[in-house]
Amino acid sequence: MNLVSPLVGNTEQPFSINRRIVIEFKWHRHSEVKMEKAKFIQQHLIEKGVPADLTRPNAFIWSKYTNVSQTPLVFQSLQKVFLTYGLSMAVIWGSLMWMFTWHSEPEHWKTYLISSAIFGFFMGLVNVFRIVKARKKLGEKSWENWCKKNYG
């Protein structure tokens, strides 16, 4: 049975079913190996005393859908974490508060906007504080240096 190669494009070259299965298996196996390695690193960080949510590349629930080979939060830039986490929390909190309570008095929208920004600011600071505390436990700030020190 001949199929068109999905890797070559529309060149109409014959592509055997066995070769396609091998390529798909290798691709799935490669992604499984990356997933296993990421899970191992996460478990190692947790054993070292890092909170579990700081071992993922993203602090939110959708982190399981992102690329697991990215740098864990504990080794990311503090400014980046502060901005992304703070802005996200401000938007989420402000939206929820608007839907449930603030919509009844829309004339105070400036106060609502400021309080959402303050909430996001403090939530960003809390996350940065947690990262600094975890880095002190690990004794390392750099992802590359930590990997070299622990995995050769």
Side-chain angles (χ1 to χ4, degrees):
M1 176 180 223
N2 288 333
L3 299 173
V4 175
S5 168
L7 301 176
V8 177
N10 293 330
T11 59
E12 300 297 327
Q13 294 177 350
F15 194 73
S16 74
I17 190 78
N18 293 334
R19 175 116 172 104
R20 183 175 180 188
I21 290 172
V22 168
I23 289 172
E24 287 178 6
F25 175 76
K26 285 181 181 178
W27 182 81
H28 288 294
R29 183 68 189 139
H30 179 68
S31 62
E32 287 174 10
V33 168
K34 286 173 81 175
M35 180 71 82
E36 290 171 9
K37 183 178 176 183
K39 292 290 182 191
F40 176 76
I41 291 172
Q42 285 178 346
Q43 190 61 36
H44 188 200
L45 286 168
I46 291 169
E47 289 172 4
K48 294 276 189 179
V50 177
D53 63 319
L54 297 181
T55 63
R56 297 186 304 250
N58 191 326
F60 298 101
I61 188 121
W62 55 78
S63 68
K64 61 184 170 185
Y65 302 113
T66 60
N67 186 359
V68 294
S69 64
Q70 292 178 344
T71 306
L73 268 175
V74 72
F75 294 111
Q76 290 183 17
S77 162
L78 294 178
Q79 294 86 357
K80 176 187 171 196
V81 171
F82 175 76
L83 284 174
T84 56
Y85 194 75
L87 288 174
S88 300
M89 289 305 294
V91 169
I92 291 168
W93 187 73
S95 299
L96 288 173
M97 290 300 291
W98 180 263
M99 287 185 338
F100 292 115
T101 60
W102 293 344
H103 70 277
S104 62
E105 297 181 27
E107 60 274 359
H108 302 296
W109 66 272
K110 290 178 185 176
T111 305
Y112 304 150
L113 191 63
I114 292 169
S115 64
S116 294
I118 291 171
F119 178 79
F121 177 81
F122 282 112
M123 292 306 294
L125 279 181
V126 166
N127 219 23
V128 166
F129 173 75
R130 292 176 64 231
I131 289 172
V132 168
K133 188 176 169 185
R135 284 181 181 179
K136 284 182 182 177
K137 282 184 183 178
L138 291 174
E140 187 62 58
K141 294 180 181 181
S142 168
W143 169 243
E144 292 80 17
N145 292 342
W146 187 82
C147 285
K148 286 178 187 175
K149 190 165 85 173
N150 288 285
Y151 304 117

